[in-house]
Amino acid sequence: MRPSTVTGAVLATAVLLLVAVRDGHCAQLCMDSSFPRTINGSLSFCGYNGTSCCNATDDAAVQKQFAAMNISGTPCGDIVKNILCARCNPYAGELFTVTTTSRTVPLLCSTTGVSSRLSTKPAAATTDYCSQVWDTCKDVRIPGSPFQAPKGGAAAPKLTDLWQSAGEFCSALGGGGAAKSPCLDGGGAAFNATRPALPLNGMCLERIGNGSYLNMAAHPDGSNRVFLSNQAGKVFLATVPAQGSGKTLGIDVASPFLDITDEVHFDNEFGLMGLAFHPGFATNGRFFVSYNCDKTQSASCAGRCACNSDFGCDPAKLGADNGAQPCQYQSVIAEYTANATSGTPAKATSANPVEVRRIMTLGLPFTTHHGGQILFSPADGYMYFAMGDGGSVGDPWNFAQNKKTLLGKILRIDVNTMPSGNTTAGWGSYSIPKDNPSSTDSSFAPEVFAIGFKNPWRCSFDSGKPSYMYCADVGQAAYEEVDLITKGGNYGWRVFEGPLPYTPLSTPGGNTSAASINAISPVMGYHHNAVNNNVGSASIIGGYVYRSTVDPCLNGRYLYADLYAKSMWAGAESPEGSGVYNVTDLKFSCSKSSPIPCDVAAGSALPSLGYIFSFGEDNARDVYLLTSKGVYRVVDPAQCGYACPVKSSTPGASSSPSPGAAPSSAVRARAPAALAALMAGALLALLSLMSV
Ligand SMILES: *[C@@H]1O[C@H](CO)[C@@H](O)[C@H](O)[C@H]1NC(C)=O
Ligand SMILES: *[C@@H]1O[C@H](CO)[C@@H](O)[C@H](O)[C@H]1NC(C)=O
Ligand SMILES: *[C@@H]1O[C@H](CO)[C@@H](O)[C@H](O)[C@H]1NC(C)=O
Ligand SMILES: *[C@@H]1O[C@H](CO)[C@@H](O)[C@H](O)[C@H]1NC(C)=O
Ligand SMILES: *[C@@H]1O[C@H](CO)[C@@H](O)[C@H](O)[C@H]1NC(C)=O
Ligand SMILES: *[C@@H]1O[C@H](CO)[C@@H](O)[C@H](O)[C@H]1NC(C)=O
Ligand SMILES: *[C@@H]1O[C@H](CO)[C@@H](O)[C@H](O)[C@H]1NC(C)=O
Ligand SMILES: *[C@@H]1O[C@H](CO)[C@@H](O)[C@H](O)[C@H]1NC(C)=O
Ligand SMILES: *[C@@H]1O[C@H](CO)[C@@H](O)[C@H](O)[C@H]1NC(C)=O
Ligand SMILES: *[C@@H]1O[C@H](CO)[C@@H](O)[C@H](O)[C@H]1NC(C)=O
């Protein structure tokens, strides 16, 4: 741990004065999470110029698809062409992925479609393009028609085969307008840039548990249950109380869902770091944990060292690190399964303790910076794994910029298609998504999705725009950043720390020059010297884009915090589609009716939340803070006296009854000894995040 209090601040200021910051990057995103490409000239069929999600080959494919429909030169043909070409729109990611269900046509701007949940007025779109599509095309037979209900099903050769009226058609395929996603308006993507942001006065929290956890995962069955895991190696199944019920988490700490504390090396930055449930868990029972092990203690802790001869790294030259031998510690992703002896996996209240398979094992060069979060993308279904640079100060071996290593990367693997035997480089058992960056650039290791991270500490997908993945990356001594992750993107570390150039202390692994990379700047973040926490250090904790209606004034804003819980922020892209995030300091306090009273910080107006380790999101899209002192949930701002012009509402999603015999909320954390152990673990985790 090296808080580097004063030097950090001084350095940051000096650097700021001397060097211009990097260029920003706008939040355009294609359907496959890549940035639109700069194209030469304009596309001959779809006509886009400047940047587009299509190249000439894609454009020719769209042209061929359109020609097969034999409606060229008709009014409906013009419309269908516009719709087919929307995939070339630089905002295709937003137009097509407004929900997790895959769409064959983009969201069509509509005034008759679903109105905004946040507004009492009907949504105001720029035009009623959707009705125009219906009126023009409803009776036209379109061979190979792209029109189908977003939930899948057969395509309709004629719109009237599937829908009876413009209203029905537009409630299926229309939307957009005020407070909704961008939509296709007949030209390009329409944003409501003038949408007035609701004023944000503060975030109100209630404390519903007092255990300390690193991960929360919503139960994939959509019920009001979540899984929580602690750093020591236990996973618990908990019931979330209804908003406003005054109840606490239903969790029985004496009966974990899974206990792998014997496998887990738990110390400082080591432990059970990640937890992810397969989207089909309710029927297939598959789930995954990411943890660290010590090969001197466990026979199953055996994998390749991330530093190896494939790219000229010699483990013997790594140097001593806290007395550990190189790659003594490993990062593991292991698959487990629900104990479904008594019924379906959705009903299971425990896991089978026998590991099903080892997905990945990666030997760590040093004892710090190895992230470890795993999560499934709601957009593409693949598993993402956030891996740090592997440690030591300033990434001396330049791992994060080395496209061939798995360190300092966001990795993307396919755990649905299991190869027989080893994959690519012997890291484990999984397959490679066919459109990973290595498919077009062989200089990438096959698993790599994005590069240039120091210690990504908490990534999330925006549940309102599932192709948008945000990752916070812990800084060194000056800047904490939030990145919008794009396929093949380079997020700069250790050439840059956030927007600032970084000069490493030692460079045995060589340098990468700033001019040789196209580093993407963070979309949000903060300078260490902007955080007034009396410790002089800082460590970012990435959160979620808030999509619950419980606090309408937070809706659509990305929430993040500093470990020390003195500062939190909310950022919203404004104007929409601009790539510019308007970040505001987020005031917070604790609800007077919190089921477990919050601690009061001496001499401060702030509640003493403990150290913030992570955020969580449940099936109702409610957001949680996981801290050293417990589990806090965002509640109606009125409970803290924060004004918001739109009334809080609680949609039904979380109230669906749990199908299994989940522990009742009467059974609570009740073993003081176990709790004390959890708290100790929490403090150890804290040290890890601070270490630079
Ligand atoms: C763009 O196209 C023109 C004409 O086809 C060609 O001369 C030029 O080299 C191209 N530029 C790039 C960067 O591909
Ligand atoms: C793109 O097209 C627009 C309008 O069609 C035109 O004004 C603009 O100059 C073009 N840009 C480039 C880079 O070709
Ligand atoms: C065009 O882009 C597609 C992916 O969208 C890619 O597979 C193809 O190789 C690209 N073609 C050219 C000529 O760049
Ligand atoms: C295309 O449509 C025209 C009339 O609109 C028809 O005469 C022609 O046979 C069609 N061609 C094909 C290949 O379906
Ligand atoms: C944008 O949203 C505002 C507020 O909801 C609405 O009054 C306005 O008509 C919308 N503008 C467009 C162009 O959709
Ligand atoms: C944790 O919360 C429960 C109420 O849910 C309470 O009974 C217990 O005393 C608390 N334990 C600690 C250590 O605060
Ligand atoms: C699995 O479930 C069965 C039936 O509920 C139970 O008897 C058994 O003890 C469970 N196994 C584990 C390892 O929890
Ligand atoms: C997988 O790869 C590792 C490292 O290259 C090797 O030790 C192991 O024997 C391989 N296993 C199989 C089943 O091929
Ligand atoms: C890397 O760059 C730094 C200056 O930024 C320099 O001091 C160092 O010698 C370089 N290392 C190598 C291996 O070139
Ligand atoms: C940024 O947010 C603040 C506070 O919510 C608001 O007053 C301001 O208008 C916003 N600026 C932009 C450009 O959206």
Side-chain angles (χ1 to χ4, degrees):
M1 184 183 110
R2 258 185 19 119
S4 56
T5 319
V6 181
T7 34
V10 170
L11 202 77
T13 316
V15 163
L16 262 180
L17 292 174
L18 290 173
V19 192
V21 297
R22 288 186 283 160
D23 286 345
H25 208 305
C26 77
Q28 296 175 334
L29 212 55
C30 299
M31 288 159 76
D32 66 350
S33 294
S34 60
F35 272 133
R37 292 167 280 251
T38 302
I39 51 173
N40 192 4
S42 69
L43 298 177
S44 67
F45 183 68
C46 287
Y48 283 93
N49 64 14
T51 60
S52 171
C53 291
C54 295
N55 56 24
T57 315
D58 305 320
D59 185 54
V62 174
Q63 182 168 20
K64 194 171 162 208
Q65 184 189 4
F66 181 67
M69 294 175 180
N70 194 22
I71 50 172
S72 174
T74 68
C76 178
D78 293 345
I79 276 178
V80 170
K81 177 182 171 184
N82 183 249
I83 286 171
L84 294 180
C85 285
R87 66 187 54 247
C88 303
N89 191 290
Y91 294 98
E94 289 208 48
L95 290 171
F96 282 87
T97 63
V98 289
T99 60
T100 55
T101 46
S102 67
R103 306 178 64 96
T104 51
V105 295
L107 197 68
L108 306 172
C109 293
S110 167
T111 51
T112 54
V114 211
S115 70
S116 159
R117 284 202 295 169
L118 290 181
S119 168
T120 47
K121 296 186 204 102
T126 44
T127 59
D128 195 354
Y129 184 58
C130 187
S131 299
Q132 196 188 326
V133 174
W134 170 264
D135 291 342
T136 315
C137 290
K138 65 179 189 296
D139 294 319
V140 179
R141 236 196 122 261
I142 309 169
S145 166
F147 295 102
Q148 68 179 53
K151 287 201 163 57
K158 267 177 26 185
L159 300 187
T160 48
D161 294 346
L162 274 188
W163 297 283
Q164 303 305 309
S165 64
E168 264 188 32
F169 175 70
C170 292
S171 65
L173 299 180
K180 293 286 282 182
S181 296
C183 47
L184 189 71
D185 73 351
F191 295 91
N192 189 338
T194 60
R195 180 177 103 207
L198 293 173
L200 180 55
N201 289 307
M203 175 171 74
C204 188
L205 300 167
E206 65 174 0
R207 186 185 190 184
I208 58 168
N210 51 18
S212 174
Y213 307 99
L214 281 192
N215 293 284
M216 175 185 280
H219 197 298
D221 71 353
S223 69
N224 61 337
R225 296 180 299 163
V226 295
F227 293 93
L228 289 159
S229 64
N230 67 17
Q231 193 179 351
K234 289 183 183 174
V235 178
F236 302 95
L237 177 57
T239 308
V240 168
Q243 283 272 0
S245 67
K247 298 213 170 85
T248 59
L249 268 183
I251 186 167
D252 181 357
V253 294
S255 311
F257 184 79
L258 176 72
D259 180 352
I260 54 163
T261 46
D262 289 348
E263 297 297 320
V264 171
H265 177 67
F266 171 33
D267 178 25
N268 202 344
E269 242 178 281
F270 294 114
L272 199 174
M273 309 308 266
L275 174 69
F277 286 76
H278 191 280
F281 171 80
T283 49
N284 67 23
R286 301 179 70 193
F287 72 100
F288 303 82
V289 291
S290 152
Y291 65 90
N292 303 114
C293 59
D294 177 350
K295 75 176 179 193
T296 68
Q297 301 297 315
S298 163
S300 70
C301 187
R304 291 183 76 198
C305 190
C307 163
N308 62 58
S309 57
D310 284 4
F311 50 91
C313 187
D314 178 358
K317 293 198 179 130
L318 285 176
D321 175 49
N322 297 337
Q325 35 172 300
C327 291
Q328 175 178 345
Y329 302 109
Q330 316 244 333
S331 213
V332 163
I333 301 175
E335 176 172 349
Y336 284 86
T337 186
N339 171 13
T341 311
S342 55
T344 66
K347 290 204 170 94
T349 55
S350 64
N352 185 331
V354 180
E355 181 177 333
V356 174
R357 67 167 72 79
R358 190 60 57 101
I359 301 293
M360 183 184 273
T361 311
L362 181 65
L364 301 168
F366 302 105
T367 54
T368 54
H369 307 173
H370 40 259
Q373 188 187 7
I374 46 176
L375 60 173
F376 283 95
S377 158
D380 62 31
Y382 294 126
M383 177 186 277
Y384 288 68
F385 180 33
M387 176 47 69
D389 67 14
S392 204
V393 179
D395 191 13
W397 291 86
N398 205 18
F399 289 128
Q401 285 298 323
N402 188 323
K403 292 177 178 175
K404 285 289 180 211
T405 79
L406 305 194
L407 297 168
K409 307 296 184 311
I410 304 299
L411 307 175
R412 185 174 76 162
I413 58 175
D414 178 354
V415 296
N416 288 319
T417 320
M418 285 299 165
S420 47
N422 275 338
T423 50
T424 50
W427 301 116
S429 189
Y430 48 84
S431 55
I432 302 297
K434 59 179 182 308
D435 62 339
N436 265 12
S438 62
S439 66
T440 49
D441 180 348
S442 61
S443 64
F444 284 101
E447 294 84 353
V448 170
F449 188 75
I451 81 167
F453 300 91
K454 178 172 162 286
N455 194 19
W457 192 251
R458 300 321 183 193
C459 301
S460 66
F461 290 94
D462 177 352
S463 53
K465 295 181 192 176
S467 53
Y468 281 64
M469 182 193 202
Y470 293 91
C471 290
D473 193 17
V474 178
Q476 189 75 60
Y479 195 86
E480 304 294 311
E481 71 186 77
V482 179
D483 297 309
L484 176 61
I485 307 303
T486 55
K487 190 166 82 177
N490 184 341
Y491 291 84
W493 173 251
R494 71 156 162 59
V495 181
F496 294 98
E497 179 183 3
L500 313 165
Y502 179 80
T503 306
L505 299 173
S506 77
T507 55
N511 285 316
T512 297
S513 75
S516 69
I517 62 172
N518 186 11
I520 300 165
S521 275
V523 290
M524 290 169 263
Y526 57 98
H527 290 275
H528 282 202
N529 57 7
V531 186
N532 183 16
N533 59 18
N534 302 324
V535 247
S537 189
S539 191
I540 195 170
I541 311 294
Y544 285 84
V545 176
Y546 187 86
R547 294 289 179 190
S548 167
T549 50
V550 165
D551 185 342
C553 285
L554 276 184
N555 197 290
R557 302 183 197 249
Y558 178 81
L559 308 180
Y560 61 105
D562 186 64
L563 169 74
Y564 297 93
K566 299 282 190 279
S567 317
M568 297 195 211
W569 296 268
E573 194 188 19
S574 180
E576 238 191 295
S578 65
V580 177
Y581 286 74
N582 185 11
V583 174
T584 28
D585 285 327
L586 181 57
K587 279 192 284 182
F588 58 94
S589 57
C590 187
S591 165
K592 300 281 179 294
S593 42
S594 179
I596 305 173
C598 299
D599 293 346
V600 181
S604 162
L606 295 177
S608 171
L609 302 178
Y611 298 102
I612 300 172
F613 296 145
S614 203
F615 283 79
E617 186 188 40
D618 69 10
N619 284 317
R621 307 289 176 240
D622 278 322
V623 169
Y624 297 76
L625 272 71
L626 308 180
T627 84
S628 57
K629 286 187 178 175
V631 178
Y632 299 82
R633 175 168 61 179
V634 178
V635 297
D636 181 354
Q639 285 189 36
C640 289
Y642 293 128
C644 177
V646 177
K647 217 169 161 295
S648 172
S649 63
T650 44
S654 74
S655 57
S656 61
S658 79
S664 93
S665 57
V667 188
R668 285 182 199 135
R670 62 189 168 195
L675 271 170
L678 292 175
M679 300 298 278
L683 290 173
L684 287 168
L686 150 75
L687 299 180
S688 71
L689 289 169
M690 282 173 60
S691 69
V692 292

